[in-house]
Amino acid sequence: MYRVFKEPKFQKKAEKLLDKHEIKELEKFIMNLKKGILAGKWLTYNFFREKKIGGKRIYFLVYDDIKVILLVGCSNKKYQQTTIDEIKLFFPELKKYAYDAFKQ
């Protein structure tokens, strides 16, 4: 079983970008993540993954050592690389956020 957390910016971005159907798919995907069903394509590192929902992409980080998944980004195809580069830039801060969320 994994605990799933949403990085604060993720929630705002997802609400803007995803339609009602895609939000339902996202919730279903989160339930599967909590059960340990890790889907998605690896991006550069095995802990950094992407899941397509509709025409959008959901980015998340998997921390196996503490059984935490952190949802960190959402984009469409046009901004895919920009979003990936931004997430990579903030890996240390995101890791700290995940570990802090785990401790609470």
Side-chain angles (χ1 to χ4, degrees), residues 14-47:
E15 287 173 1
K16 284 184 185 177
L17 197 60
L18 303 177
D19 63 28
K20 288 182 183 181
H21 176 71
E22 291 167 335
I23 288 174
K24 285 183 182 179
E25 274 190 66
L26 175 62
E27 293 304 320
K28 188 176 174 183
F29 173 63
I30 290 170
M31 292 304 294
N32 285 335
L33 288 175
K34 287 179 180 180
K35 293 176 187 174
I37 302 169
L38 298 178
K41 178 181 158 189
W42 289 9
L43 300 172
T44 314
Y45 308 98
N46 63 350
F47 64 89

Side-chain angles (χ1 to χ4, degrees), residues 26 47 58 72 80 83-85 92 94 99 104:
L26 175 62
F47 64 89
I58 305 300
V72 293
Q80 180 180 16
T83 305
I84 290 169
D85 292 342
L94 293 168
Y99 278 77
Q104 292 180 355

